[in-house]
Amino acid sequence: MSLLIPVVAAAMAIVSPTGGTAAQALVVDGQFRAADGGTYRAVTFDGTAIPAGSRVTVTERTSPDGTRVELRVGGVQANRTFGAHVHTQACGSTPAASGPHYQNVKDPKQPSTDPQYANAQNEVWLDFTTDGNGDGGAASTVQWRFRAGEARSVVVHDHGTATASGQAGTAGARLACVNVPFE
């Protein structure tokens, strides 16, 4: 297994003024590469929407009160809205490899399209719209923490996330994926 791009994935403790640990931060930084069977930090399945060489950063900050995830992209298709969510599996050479959305309370019926489970409080939704340069980003804060080993990637989807019953949580084709070892 070779990693062909530079990656920064560092956990840092942020110390509160009283001396205790207030939060943990994890940063994953990389460039999208074509999903050609290699092992990469970030892969693209659609070179028009998410060109090889475009940039991505995912930051996770945890505290006793919950989790904040931030997504930043650069050099992707300009003036476009994308959906993005945390998924349960690592990226692979096919879009489906990343598995379903991570859910704090798991929907017993998969794929999940029930708004009771597929919603921005039970999942991490990071929909964003790019500017004229193809730069964009989003942040999501939830009142829970990921279960160990059950959240492994962020997937960028074709369009913004639907919320209607029977479609909740759907955002079209999986265009790109970035591996993130969420804590």
Side-chain angles (χ1 to χ4, degrees):
M1 174 158 62
S2 66
L3 200 50
L4 300 178
I5 61 174
V7 175
V8 176
M12 305 171 285
I14 300 170
V15 180
S16 73
T18 60
T21 300
Q24 295 283 81
L26 171 78
V27 178
V28 173
D29 200 13
Q31 290 184 320
F32 288 103
R33 300 289 183 221
D36 59 7
T39 303
Y40 307 110
R41 174 64 61 189
V43 295
T44 178
F45 304 107
D46 183 325
T48 300
I50 312 287
S54 57
R55 301 169 315 283
V56 62
T57 301
V58 177
T59 304
E60 175 197 29
R61 289 183 174 83
T62 61
S63 73
D65 297 326
T67 305
R68 180 174 175 83
V69 178
E70 298 174 20
L71 171 67
R72 299 281 175 242
V73 297
V76 304
Q77 192 170 42
N79 302 312
R80 179 171 174 178
T81 298
F82 295 89
H85 313 101
V86 172
H87 281 245
T88 61
Q89 301 299 315
C91 308
S93 58
T94 65
S98 57
H101 295 181
Y102 178 91
Q103 295 182 319
N104 183 47
V105 177
K106 294 179 183 179
D107 185 342
K109 183 179 178 195
Q110 294 293 323
S112 180
T113 57
D114 179 345
Q116 179 178 342
Y117 296 96
N119 62 66
Q121 292 76 46
N122 193 46
E123 300 181 351
V124 174
W125 290 5
L126 297 160
D127 292 14
F128 63 95
T129 300
T130 55
D131 65 14
N133 296 317
D135 299 336
S140 175
T141 302
V142 291
Q143 302 301 308
W144 41 266
R145 306 235 344 231
F146 295 112
R147 292 179 295 277
E150 292 189 33
R152 307 311 303 160
S153 63
V154 171
V155 172
V156 178
H157 292 270
D158 186 47
H159 56 76
T161 306
T163 57
S165 184
Q167 296 178 351
T170 62
R174 298 174 188 204
L175 305 179
C177 182
V178 57
N179 287 309
V180 183
F182 288 105
E183 299 181 359

